[in-house]
Amino acid sequence: NAGVTQTPKFRILKIGQSMTLQCTQDMNHNYMYWYRQDPGMGLKLIYYSVGAGITDKGEVPNGYNVSRSTTEDFPLRLELAAPSQTSVYFCASLVGGATDTQYFGPGTRLTVL
Amino acid sequence: QKEVEQNSGPLSVPEGAIASLNCTYSDRGSQSFFWYRQYSGKSPELIMFIYSNGDKEDGRFTAQLNKASQYVSLLIRDSQPSDSATYLCAVSGYSTLTFGKGTMLLVSP
């Protein structure tokens, strides 16, 4: 199993550009999450999904959109990129249940200039 | 808004010592608690979870939970330089986790 994969690993965007961060998991997990991590700030939840076709906002959803058409994929869309979206983005997944482990992808480092 | 508080550190300990990492949380109804380790430039990985009051041991790691005081801790015995990382405390909610900002641990040889 590849686990949770994310592409791209690095990206530089200009202000106002758009892009999609890809996340795929091959563990048949129901739950998937998108976090952003700013230096020294821990992980902030952007959006999450409890299954295909179901998504919900997290703590910091503004400026982002998601979709979940399949169990495996959970892309994160940035529209009109802003410097405040410069961050490291992590995707994670888990099967379900309060004590299940969240498995994280390797992250995408995004810079908006 | 749930809050999870951690001392940002760095916490510096010599090799072989016990490192003690602490975390407090605001939601008294929280049920499950997690400790993740994150090396610089890498993604977080789970070390332990705990959901019952008391201690839970796994090798050199011991998680301690006191729900009355809303306090979780992680003890690392016989600390090694390879334990140098940021340790994230996380508290479960309905379908999601709330993370603290993390404590940086530095273990010197």
Side-chain angles (χ1 to χ4, degrees):
Chain A
N1 286 352
V4 181
T5 57
Q6 292 183 240
T7 57
K9 291 184 178 179
F10 303 94
R11 184 72 185 268
I12 298 175
L13 281 182
K14 293 182 179 179
I15 294 172
Q17 288 185 320
S18 300
M19 75 164 295
T20 299
L21 281 66
Q22 301 291 345
C23 175
T24 300
Q25 53 91 9
D26 62 359
M27 297 174 283
N28 201 33
H29 286 172
N30 296 319
Y31 292 68
M32 296 187 74
Y33 305 84
W34 275 106
Y35 296 93
R36 60 176 288 172
Q37 186 175 38
D38 300 327
M41 295 301 292
L43 293 161
K44 298 290 187 182
L45 182 64
I46 304 172
Y47 271 95
Y48 68 100
S49 169
V50 300
I54 305 169
T55 63
D56 209 346
K57 296 178 180 179
E59 184 180 358
V60 290
N62 291 344
Y64 308 93
N65 278 300
V66 294
S67 60
R68 185 94 183 271
S69 57
T70 67
T71 299
E72 296 78 18
D73 300 307
F74 190 40
L76 177 71
R77 178 80 176 165
L78 278 71
E79 304 283 0
L80 299 175
S84 60
Q85 294 178 305
T86 294
S87 190
V88 179
Y89 291 83
F90 289 104
C91 179
S93 73
L94 64 82
V95 174
T99 58
D100 270 1
T101 301
Q102 282 199 14
Y103 294 89
F104 284 83
T108 294
R109 186 174 296 274
L110 176 67
T111 301
V112 182
L113 300 175
Chain B
Q1 182 79 348
K2 295 180 180 179
E3 294 184 352
V4 179
E5 300 290 338
Q6 295 181 257
N7 189 319
S8 61
L11 173 66
S12 296
V13 300
E15 183 175 356
I18 296 175
S20 178
L21 304 162
N22 305 314
C23 171
T24 59
Y25 59 96
S26 63
D27 185 359
R28 188 171 289 277
S30 298
Q31 296 294 316
S32 301
F33 308 87
F34 302 79
W35 283 100
Y36 282 81
R37 177 176 62 200
Q38 186 176 25
Y39 293 113
S40 181
K42 302 295 185 181
S43 55
E45 56 181 340
L46 183 72
I47 299 175
M48 294 186 68
F49 68 84
I50 186 168
Y51 50 85
S52 298
N53 273 330
D55 296 358
K56 179 181 179 181
E57 186 174 318
D58 184 1
R60 296 187 295 112
F61 299 94
T62 298
Q64 300 175 317
L65 174 60
N66 184 327
K67 289 187 177 181
S69 300
Q70 296 174 238
Y71 177 90
V72 192
S73 66
L74 179 70
L75 301 179
I76 305 175
R77 292 182 299 279
D78 188 24
S79 294
Q80 301 297 309
S82 59
D83 294 326
S84 297
T86 295
Y87 290 78
L88 302 169
C89 174
V91 176
S92 70
Y94 182 72
S95 304
T96 65
L97 291 180
T98 299
F99 284 84
K101 295 180 180 180
T103 298
M104 180 182 293
L105 173 66
L106 299 176
V107 182
S108 55

